[in-house]
Amino acid sequence: MGGLVSIVTPVYNAGAYIEETIAMVCRQTYTDWELLLVDDGSADDGREKIEKWQKRDSRIRLLAREKNGGAALARNFGVEHAAGRYLAFLDADDIWMENKLERELGFMEETGAAFVFTAYEFGDERAVRTGKVVNVPKTLSYRQALSRTVIFTSTVLFDLEKINRELIKMPNVPSEDTATWWKALRHGYTAYGLNEALVVYRRPERSLSSNKGKAIVRIWNLYRRVEKLSVACSLWNFVGWAWRAAWRRL
């Protein structure tokens, strides 16, 4: 399977990581890609570092937003400018294995899927792998996804010839990525999981995702305000989500 892969990376004060991120993408065994780095009003030296890399490799593109609008709007801006048949998201502080794109594109060809994702491994704040891997199911439907937030943003890949890019644009709400996967699945798509840990999720001790209280509020708001689920249905899915979320962190 071939074709241009557009990689969308929101960048906000990520100067400490961004050169490592760009170099990592440049090491991919699949080379037909463009890296869309969306600077979201950063105040550090990240933009200057990106500009230097851009001069070296024409596949690297800087898209600048003067005012910070958050990850959802930055990703949407990148999606609007994506020229590839395929679309991947990569957060600036996460790590891809060198064969991530190659393996995922091959898997997409095998399954004929429009939406695929992979397993991933937790890393510490220096991205040192911890050995804790989050395995993924072979397929995931909308109903199944409501009780398991197993799709991690930096693992996904979409075929834009099979799925409308408007479905991939993210709402400006907390946990915008989960809301987006649910939206695509609600429209009848099935997500296919490649159970290989091709991504390392850098998780600092005080990261937003590790704040359990905020996570509970975010998921509940998704059920009730975004998906418009009943209280009973929300509670049913919440119990499943809480159990799986706790198990992933053991």
Side-chain angles (χ1 to χ4, degrees):
M1 175 177 272
L4 180 65
V5 179
S6 296
I7 305 163
V8 174
T9 299
V11 180
Y12 180 65
N13 292 340
Y17 302 124
I18 198 60
E19 291 192 290
E20 178 184 2
T21 303
I22 296 171
M24 174 187 67
V25 173
C26 289
R27 290 193 298 269
Q28 285 293 301
T29 55
Y30 185 84
T31 59
D32 190 8
W33 50 261
E34 62 171 359
L35 177 59
L36 307 179
L37 296 153
V38 185
D39 185 81
D40 195 29
S42 297
D44 65 358
D45 62 348
R47 186 181 298 193
E48 288 74 19
K49 290 178 177 178
I50 293 170
E51 289 172 343
K52 290 179 182 178
W53 277 89
Q54 190 174 224
K55 293 176 182 177
R56 303 181 205 170
D57 194 325
S58 61
R59 297 174 297 176
I60 298 166
R61 296 170 57 193
L62 170 63
L63 302 175
R65 290 168 53 86
E66 296 307 319
K67 185 178 180 181
N68 176 254
L73 297 182
R75 292 192 188 106
N76 292 346
F77 192 66
V79 171
E80 291 169 1
H81 288 80
R85 171 177 173 175
Y86 305 100
L87 179 76
F89 290 116
L90 170 62
D91 285 349
D93 55 350
D94 293 327
I95 305 297
W96 278 0
M97 302 297 102
E98 292 185 6
N99 63 340
K100 190 266 190 188
L101 289 178
E102 182 180 7
R103 289 290 300 125
E104 203 165 22
L105 283 164
F107 178 68
M108 181 171 269
E109 183 177 23
E110 292 170 14
T111 59
F115 176 5
V116 299
F117 63 106
T118 79
Y120 61 94
E121 183 174 352
F122 286 117
D124 64 16
E125 61 186 11
R126 297 180 303 280
V128 175
R129 300 164 71 167
T130 65
K132 178 59 179 177
V133 173
V134 176
N135 294 302
V136 297
K138 292 182 179 179
T139 60
L140 199 61
S141 68
Y142 174 65
R143 289 184 178 276
Q144 292 169 328
L146 288 173
S147 62
R148 62 195 77 187
T149 51
V150 70
I151 302 176
F152 177 47
T153 307
S154 292
T155 74
V156 301
L157 182 69
F158 297 96
D159 184 343
L160 296 180
E161 288 191 358
K162 295 181 178 180
I163 188 170
N164 191 312
R165 73 176 65 208
E166 292 300 316
L167 283 180
I168 303 168
K169 289 187 177 179
M170 299 189 174
N172 196 17
V173 298
S175 292
E176 70 283 347
D177 46 359
T178 297
T180 303
W181 320 148
W182 289 357
K183 178 175 58 170
L185 298 177
R186 183 168 14 93
H187 278 77
Y189 292 93
T190 298
Y192 283 72
L194 174 59
N195 197 28
E196 294 181 23
L198 299 174
V199 177
V200 176
Y201 170 26
R202 191 194 305 258
R203 190 172 63 151
E205 287 297 320
R206 296 186 180 182
S207 70
L208 180 64
S209 298
S210 67
N211 188 314
K212 297 177 180 60
K214 289 183 179 179
I216 288 169
V217 172
R218 292 200 307 272
I219 196 73
W220 185 255
N221 284 339
L222 287 184
Y223 290 144
R224 298 288 289 138
R225 298 181 182 178
V226 177
E227 297 303 307
K228 310 295 185 185
L229 301 181
S230 67
V231 172
C233 187
S234 297
L235 283 170
W236 174 264
N237 286 296
F238 178 81
V239 170
W241 169 83
W243 183 85
R244 291 182 177 91
W247 178 256
R248 280 203 305 270
R249 285 162 171 76
L250 290 178

